[in-house]
Amino acid sequence: MKNKPESPHCSTCGSRHKSVFCSIESEEVKEIDNIKGCNFFDRGQVIFHEGNRVNGIYCINKGKVKIYQTGSEGKEQIIRFAKEGDIIGYRALLSEEPLSASAATLDDAVVCFIPKSQVLKIIQNNPSFNFKMLKILSHELGEAARIITDLAQKPVRERLAESLLLLKDTFELDEDKNIQVKLSREELANIIGTATESVIRLLSEFKKDKLIDIDGRNIKLINIPALTREANIID
Amino acid sequence: MKNKPESPHCSTCGSRHKSVFCSIESEEVKEIDNIKGCNFFDRGQVIFHEGNRVNGIYCINKGKVKIYQTGSEGKEQIIRFAKEGDIIGYRALLSEEPLSASAATLDDAVVCFIPKSQVLKIIQNNPSFNFKMLKILSHELGEAARIITDLAQKPVRERLAESLLLLKDTFELDEDKNIQVKLSREELANIIGTATESVIRLLSEFKKDKLIDIDGRNIKLINIPALTREANIID
DNA sequence: TTAAAAACATGAATTTTATCATATTTTTGT
DNA sequence: ACAAAAATATGATAAAATTCATGTTTTTAA
C-alpha cells in the first residue's frame, strides 16, 4: 500500500530556483502556495487532454512528462517533454485557445496547479517573470522550427539518432551513460514519426554498430560523437 | 526605371490597426515613427539571415514573406509565411538567441525596422502590447505543433492538400478562387518536405481530379471541401 | 530578340519506409 | 505462480516516395 505523500510547498520546492519561478518574491511565493493545488500521478496517467480548456498552468514538482498530439488516424505524436521544474499548459492559457496537446506522465509524478488568475497576476506585477515567459515561448518556437525541418528533411535513421541525443540533453545520462528516461519503442517511434518496427530495427543496428547498448528500455549512449554524425548535426 | 517610393508612416499605416500595434497610443506611435527605419525589397531578396543576431523587429508594411530554415543538406524548409501587418524577427529578439530562420520576400515588399530598445520599451510600458506578444508566440507554438504532427504522420498527398488550404487561409483567394500568392513548385515542396517532382505530379493529379485548376503558378481552388477531405482534416 | 538559364513535366528505376505475418519475450493482473 | 496481454523482434512483401534521366516550356538577362 502506498503512503499518501505530503503536498510539496513552493517555499521549500527544490526545483523552484532553476525554474521560471526563480525570481519570484517570497511574498508572491506564499500567495502561490496558498492558492495552488497539487496532484499525485502514477506512471502513464493523463494530466490534461488536448481540446479541453485550461484554467491555469501545471508545474512539475517531480517526474517526467510527455506532451503529445493525436493525429488524424489516432496516432500519438510526441511534441516535447517536460520534467521537474518545468511548467506545462501555459501555451493554451496565454493564447486563450483549447489545449493543442495532451500531457501524460512517464513515471510517478507530482504536479502542482496554479490558477489562471494567479498566473496573470504574476505576469502583470513581475516584469522579470513576464520576460521569462516571453523567453520560454520564443525559445520553444525555435526548437519547434528545428523539429519541423528535421522531420521534413531527415531520413528515419538520422531522426532516431537525433532524438536519442535530444533525450540525452533533456533528461541527461546516469553514471553508466544510460539515458535517464524509459520510453517504449512505440513512444520513440511517436517522437520521430515512424513505425514501431523501424525503431526496433534501427536500434538493433545502432547496437550492432556500437553506437548504443540496449537493455530493455534502457539505452546506453556509448559513442555520442558517432551518433551526432548519424544524426547529421553540424553545430 | 523605378520611382523611389515614399517611406510609410506608422500614423497613416493602413495595416497598423489589424496588427500587434493596434492598441498603441498615439504618443507611442510618434515615437516609433521617429526611430523606425524602412526598406524596400524586390522579389526574392533576403530580409534577414539565419544564424545572425537581430537587433530589432521587422514589421511588414507591404508584401509577402517566407520564413525558412536551411536543413543539413542545404535544402530550404519553409517554416511559415508573413504578410502586411505581421511582424517577424521577434522570436530571436525575445529569446536572445541567433535567428533560427531566414526571411525572404515573395514579391516586392516594404519592411520597417523597429530597434530592440524601442520594442522592449513598449513591452514594458504597454501591458496590452505585452499580452499580445505572449498571445502571438503561444498561438504560433500551437501552429508549429500541428505542423509537426502532420509532417510526422500524413503522407505527401495529404500534406500538399493541407498546405494549399493553409495558403488559402493565410493569403486568401481572389474573386476567381486563385490563391493570392505565387510560389514555385520547389517552394511548395519546401513547405511540405518532399521532392519538387512529387509536387508537380500531385498538382497534376489534383487538377485531373477537379480539385484545383493550374495556370503557371496560379492555383485555383475549385473544390475546397474535397481538398479538405484529401488533407484529412477533421475540424 | 535571342541565347542561356531556370522551372516545369514525365517515365523508369531505385531506395526508403510501412505493413503484414508470426514468433518470442516481458510485463501485468489475479 | 500463472495465464493473458502487451511489448519486442524479425522476415517477407508491399507501398510510398525519391532519384535519375531526359525533354519541354517559360523566364531571364545580355
Side-chain angles (χ1 to χ4, degrees):
Chain A
M1 199 194 281
K2 218 178 250 181
N3 287 335
K4 176 111 185 226
E6 279 290 311
S7 265
H9 285 280
C10 304
S11 46
T12 58
C13 177
S15 54
R16 200 186 82 238
H17 302 284
K18 26 179 190 168
S19 82
V20 70
F21 296 109
C22 64
S23 62
I24 292 287
E25 302 291 330
S26 75
E27 201 50 47
E28 281 178 307
V29 173
K30 270 184 210 151
E31 222 178 300
I32 297 170
D33 228 341
N34 285 330
I35 204 170
K36 81 168 197 308
C38 242
N39 278 296
F40 299 83
F41 293 91
D42 293 331
R43 177 183 136 76
Q45 281 193 289
V46 172
I47 300 172
F48 55 69
H49 201 281
E50 185 179 351
N52 286 353
R53 293 277 163 182
V54 78
N55 210 28
I57 63 171
Y58 299 80
C59 184
I60 302 170
N61 174 71
K62 182 180 158 299
K64 303 175 177 76
V65 170
K66 64 177 174 184
I67 287 98
Y68 60 96
Q69 284 192 339
T70 304
S72 46
E73 311 285 80
K75 195 184 171 189
E76 165 183 301
Q77 178 62 38
I78 296 179
I79 304 293
R80 64 183 189 93
F81 293 94
K83 60 175 192 291
E84 196 180 307
D86 291 337
I87 52 173
I88 58 178
Y90 54 88
R91 197 214 63 82
L93 186 94
L94 294 172
S95 69
E96 297 180 290
E97 295 163 341
L99 284 157
S100 63
S102 306
T105 56
L106 295 167
D107 48 16
D108 292 355
V110 182
V111 182
C112 300
F113 178 83
I114 305 169
K116 180 173 185 172
S117 56
Q118 191 66 29
V119 176
L120 296 181
K121 196 173 163 187
I122 305 170
I123 288 181
Q124 272 157 18
N125 298 337
N126 190 326
S128 157
F129 179 87
N130 187 324
F131 203 73
K132 271 207 188 68
M133 285 308 306
L134 286 168
K135 214 163 173 176
I136 288 177
L137 282 163
S138 48
H139 176 76
E140 286 291 317
L141 201 50
E143 303 258 286
R146 181 48 56 191
I147 292 172
I148 287 171
T149 300
D150 289 343
L151 279 172
Q153 299 193 358
K154 287 185 179 174
V156 173
R157 187 184 167 93
E158 292 182 19
R159 299 211 301 273
L160 178 59
E162 180 151 42
S163 79
L164 293 179
L165 293 169
L166 167 83
L167 291 172
K168 179 205 70 161
D169 291 338
T170 307
F171 296 112
E172 307 190 321
L173 305 181
D174 67 12
E175 60 283 0
D176 295 320
K177 297 188 179 175
N178 294 299
I179 296 175
Q180 294 271 49
V181 66
K182 307 271 165 287
L183 297 173
S184 68
R185 307 292 191 262
E186 187 178 4
E187 283 171 320
L188 284 170
N190 293 343
I191 301 171
I192 67 182
T194 190
T196 306
E197 293 95 323
S198 298
V199 168
I200 292 169
R201 274 182 253 267
L202 288 167
L203 284 179
S204 301
E205 279 185 35
F206 285 172
K207 184 180 179 178
K208 202 188 63 195
D209 298 345
K210 299 272 194 314
L211 305 174
I212 64 171
D213 237 327
I214 317 175
D215 176 27
R217 293 189 180 178
N218 228 37
I219 298 176
K220 187 179 298 196
L221 306 189
I222 54 182
N223 191 344
I224 292 170
L227 261 182
T228 307
R229 281 192 297 277
E230 288 285 342
N232 205 348
I233 296 172
I234 306 125
D235 55 355
Chain B
M1 199 192 282
K2 218 176 247 181
N3 288 336
K4 175 112 186 223
E6 279 291 313
S7 265
H9 284 280
C10 304
S11 48
T12 58
C13 176
S15 54
R16 201 185 82 237
H17 301 286
K18 25 178 190 165
S19 82
V20 69
F21 297 109
C22 65
S23 62
I24 293 288
E25 303 290 329
S26 74
E27 201 51 47
E28 281 177 305
V29 173
K30 270 185 212 150
E31 222 177 301
I32 298 171
D33 229 340
N34 285 330
I35 204 168
K36 80 166 200 303
C38 241
N39 278 296
F40 298 85
F41 293 91
D42 293 333
R43 176 182 139 76
Q45 282 192 288
V46 172
I47 300 172
F48 55 69
H49 200 282
E50 186 178 351
N52 286 352
R53 293 276 164 183
V54 77
N55 210 28
I57 63 171
Y58 299 80
C59 183
I60 302 170
N61 174 71
K62 182 178 158 298
K64 302 174 177 76
V65 170
K66 64 177 173 184
I67 286 99
Y68 60 97
Q69 283 191 340
T70 304
S72 45
E73 312 285 82
K75 196 182 169 189
E76 165 183 302
Q77 178 63 38
I78 295 179
I79 305 293
R80 63 183 190 93
F81 293 95
K83 58 174 196 286
E84 195 178 306
D86 290 338
I87 52 174
I88 58 178
Y90 55 88
R91 195 214 66 79
L93 186 95
L94 294 172
S95 69
E96 298 180 288
E97 295 163 339
L99 285 157
S100 63
S102 307
T105 56
L106 295 167
D107 49 16
D108 291 355
V110 182
V111 182
C112 300
F113 178 81
I114 306 170
K116 181 174 183 171
S117 57
Q118 191 65 30
V119 175
L120 296 182
K121 195 172 164 187
I122 305 170
I123 288 180
Q124 272 157 20
N125 297 337
N126 190 326
S128 158
F129 179 87
N130 188 325
F131 203 73
K132 270 205 188 71
M133 284 309 305
L134 287 168
K135 214 163 173 174
I136 288 177
L137 282 164
S138 48
H139 176 77
E140 287 291 318
L141 201 51
E143 303 256 286
R146 181 48 56 192
I147 292 171
I148 287 171
T149 301
D150 289 343
L151 279 172
Q153 299 193 357
K154 287 186 179 175
V156 173
R157 187 185 168 93
E158 292 182 20
R159 300 212 300 272
L160 177 59
E162 180 152 39
S163 79
L164 294 179
L165 294 168
L166 167 83
L167 291 171
K168 181 205 69 163
D169 291 338
T170 307
F171 296 111
E172 306 190 325
L173 304 181
D174 68 12
E175 62 281 359
D176 294 321
K177 297 189 180 176
N178 294 301
I179 297 175
Q180 294 272 48
V181 67
K182 308 271 166 285
L183 297 173
S184 68
R185 307 291 191 261
E186 188 178 4
E187 282 172 322
L188 284 170
N190 293 345
I191 302 171
I192 67 181
T194 191
T196 307
E197 294 96 322
S198 299
V199 168
I200 292 170
R201 274 181 253 268
L202 287 167
L203 283 179
S204 301
E205 279 185 37
F206 285 171
K207 183 180 180 179
K208 204 188 62 195
D209 297 346
K210 299 270 196 317
L211 304 174
I212 64 171
D213 238 326
I214 316 175
D215 177 26
R217 293 187 180 180
N218 228 35
I219 298 176
K220 188 180 295 197
L221 306 189
I222 54 184
N223 191 345
I224 293 171
L227 262 181
T228 307
R229 279 193 297 278
E230 287 285 342
N232 204 350
I233 296 173
I234 306 124
D235 54 354

